[in-house]
Structure formats: C-alpha cells, structure tokens
Amino acid sequence: MTRLSRFPFPLAADTFTYTTNVEPARVPVATAAGEWGAGIVEPDDEYRTEVAERAAVVARDPSRVQLLPHMRPAAWDALLTLLRELAAQCPAHMALVEGPQCVWRNDLLGVEQRFTVGDDESLPGGPLGFLNGQLQEDVVLLDQREDALWVDAGAVAFAADWSLAFVTGMRFAEVHRPVVARVHEAGVLTRAEQFLLRLPPGAEYRRLNWTLSVDRRLDLSTEVREEWEPQRAALAAAPPAELGRRVHLRVELQHLIRLGASGAVLFLIRTHLLSLDELAAVPLWRRRVGRVLAALPDDVADYKGLTGVRPGVVRWCLGP
C-alpha cells in the first residue's frame, strides 16, 4: 500500500476539539484514499528505513530507552507480545519460536536472535532496546499503582516535542500537565486516565493525535529541538511551493493495550507523515486541514506549535 492509501487521516469534521477519541483496535477504517487499522503493528514499505533510523537514534542517544528496575517483567511481556504480533502480520518473513530458549527470525532485517526470557544479557540492548530495532512504533510502558498510572519504561526514538528520559518516573497526569487550559477544564485527561486504569487484561484500544511538522523528520524530541525548531520557524515566510513540499501532517496512531502477564499498560505510537503536496491528492483532506487550522483556537495552535506556519498553510489548503 502507498503512503497515501494507508494514511490514518485524523480529522472527521471541519473543526477540532480535544477529546479522548478512543475506539476499539483492529477495526479497519476505510478512507477516501484507502484503508488503515486492521492490525496493532503493520510493517509497510517504509519498515526497513524507519527501523534503521530508530536504531541510529538510540545509538546516538541511549537515553531514548528507559527501564526502571521494577518494570523488567513488563518489558519482557511487551517484547513477547509485540514479536508475536509482528510474526502474525508478516508470517512469510518473521517467526517467533518460544521455549526454554526462544528464537526470533526477521528476514526483512536479516536477524536471527536466540534469547532466554528474563535474561536481559541474552538480547542486544535488553528487551526494550532490541524491540526498538524491530518495530516502527515507539513503546511506552505504564505501571499502575496508588490508583494512578506512572511512565516507568519505554523505547521512544520519534517523540514529538517531549522526552522519555525526562518523564520516566512521572505520573501520567504530571506528564500531561503543560497542556492547554481547555483540556483540563473539559476533564479530558482525568477521563483518559480513569479509562486506562479500568482496562482489563488483553483489552486493546486506539486513538489518533495530530500536528504539523517539517520535512519527513520523525525525531522531534526535545533532545534535538535546536535542530528542528529553527526549521519550523523559518517556514512561516516560505513560498507556497516550499510549504507544499516541506510541511507535513504528522499523525500518531496510538494503541493502548493492557498486557496480560504483567498487568502493565502498553502504549504504542506509530508516526505517519504526509506532505501537503501528497495530501492534495485527496481534495477533501486538503480543504479540511485548511478549515480546521483556520478555526483552531489560538491556545491550541500555540500548544501544537502551529502559530507561525498556520497562516501560510491555511492559504495553501484553501486557496485556488
């Protein structure tokens, strides 16, 4: 499938309001360009490129993988769960043989790895470091204690203006504190946390989140903000042709899964990027993005980092 045909377009109306927007996972969604959402993880034609980039990010900055000691069982639970998912999605190229010594085979990457569950030394980078090099998704693990969720482990190479190293050990509510006031007033975060706290073992849900970004850059973490922030600011004065080529609609397909063995909440984030030029192949999407941005409250635009580039993108989307 092409990038356009599998793109999870996130805007169902011409205005945008923060909601929990959670729905059951594994339900295919038909769009004006194709379909998405049949699986939890869906390797595609950008799999090798994105996995290589993830590995390179972590090699440069090992702090992108975090694991508090009490989360080791959850990390192994996540590893086995997601390797099984990959094997189910790509049976011709991937396989997991489980036993006293497990064997993972990934022909797309030329990997055959033997490991013992629970033995971090049996996997390069441990369970989360190894998983980072097999998935296109970022992985976050939430522990549940004291009637709250805590961000206590993960492998995140493609964060959108946040840092896993900074938030590790923080409560879910603290991580999301610096959001726009209207989100707190509407109780969205409280409802989201309560929903996650009540997830039974094996439950699988998903949601979409979106913003705009520059070029096809996946790593927008705070650790490298000095690299991407000036590029985004410079686009405020860019001509239309440059906007169409360089501005991308960035959509996160987020899966929320209660792991059965450990009880942790697995939070997966797959990032999709589509340039405005590519978006224009679906006129409805082009117009909707323009209308949503035009109607977006200023505080929401500021929070998403869209204030500078918004006028030019609105003109690009709604112009002749």
Side-chain angles (χ1 to χ4, degrees):
M1 297 178 71
T2 66
R3 187 181 301 154
L4 186 71
S5 65
R6 59 180 165 75
F7 190 74
F9 188 74
L11 304 172
D14 287 346
T15 57
F16 172 76
T17 303
Y18 272 108
T19 65
T20 52
N21 70 301
V22 174
E23 64 182 20
R26 300 187 192 270
V27 179
V29 177
T31 72
E35 183 180 280
W36 64 273
I40 298 293
V41 294
E42 297 182 293
D44 54 32
D45 53 0
E46 296 178 84
Y47 174 77
R48 291 185 181 90
T49 300
E50 292 186 5
V51 167
E53 184 172 348
R54 296 185 62 80
V57 169
V58 170
R60 291 193 301 269
D61 183 3
S63 74
R64 305 299 185 91
V65 178
Q66 296 287 325
L67 179 62
L68 297 186
H70 69 279
M71 294 297 285
R72 288 183 66 252
W76 281 98
D77 196 1
L79 174 80
L80 292 174
T81 297
L82 292 170
L83 292 186
R84 291 171 189 143
E85 287 291 332
L86 283 170
Q89 285 291 316
C90 301
H93 304 291
M94 302 179 190
L96 176 65
V97 178
E98 299 186 54
Q101 187 176 60
C102 299
V103 181
W104 169 247
R105 192 193 84 245
N106 184 339
D107 296 338
L108 295 179
L109 302 179
V111 170
E112 183 170 315
Q113 178 68 44
R114 298 178 180 271
F115 63 91
T116 301
V117 175
D119 180 3
D120 289 12
E121 298 301 318
S122 67
L123 276 178
L128 294 183
F130 182 76
L131 194 55
N132 176 76
Q134 303 296 311
L135 285 176
Q136 288 169 275
E137 286 81 3
D138 285 319
V139 177
V140 179
L141 288 169
L142 306 176
D143 188 29
Q144 183 169 332
R145 61 183 185 274
E146 301 173 15
D147 296 321
L149 293 170
W150 302 75
V151 181
D152 284 349
V156 178
F158 299 156
D161 202 9
W162 63 283
S163 163
L164 177 66
F166 179 77
V167 303
T168 296
M170 293 175 61
R171 285 186 57 174
F172 176 88
E174 293 174 335
V175 171
H176 292 87
R177 192 177 303 281
V179 297
V180 293
R182 68 185 66 242
V183 178
H184 290 289
E185 293 166 359
V188 172
L189 294 179
T190 300
R191 291 199 303 275
E193 184 170 25
Q194 289 302 310
F195 174 82
L196 293 174
L197 288 169
R198 293 192 298 269
L199 282 181
E204 300 173 332
Y205 287 85
R206 70 186 179 205
R207 68 183 299 272
L208 296 175
N209 192 27
W210 68 276
T211 187
L212 299 180
S213 63
V214 181
D215 300 324
R216 291 201 58 77
R217 183 178 185 122
L218 288 161
D219 180 13
L220 295 180
S221 66
T222 53
E223 284 86 349
V224 291
R225 179 182 286 169
E226 72 282 356
E227 297 176 13
W228 56 262
E229 192 170 45
Q231 296 174 337
R232 184 171 68 180
L235 280 181
E242 188 174 356
L243 287 178
R245 175 175 52 86
R246 298 190 62 199
V247 174
H248 286 66
L249 180 59
R250 179 184 176 109
V251 176
E252 294 179 351
L253 172 54
Q254 304 173 351
H255 278 94
L256 309 161
I257 301 167
R258 175 74 75 175
L259 296 175
S262 64
V265 175
L266 172 61
F267 181 35
L268 289 177
I269 309 169
R270 172 67 194 282
T271 300
H272 294 263
L273 294 169
L274 199 68
S275 72
L276 295 183
D277 282 343
E278 292 171 309
L279 191 80
V282 184
L284 170 64
W285 290 2
R286 173 176 175 163
R287 293 191 299 271
R288 178 152 292 164
V289 168
R291 290 168 182 163
V292 166
L293 290 175
L296 207 63
D298 290 344
D299 57 347
V300 177
D302 286 342
Y303 171 64
K304 286 181 172 289
L306 307 178
T307 301
V309 74
R310 177 162 65 153
V313 173
V314 169
R315 287 192 297 272
W316 192 96
C317 290
L318 298 182

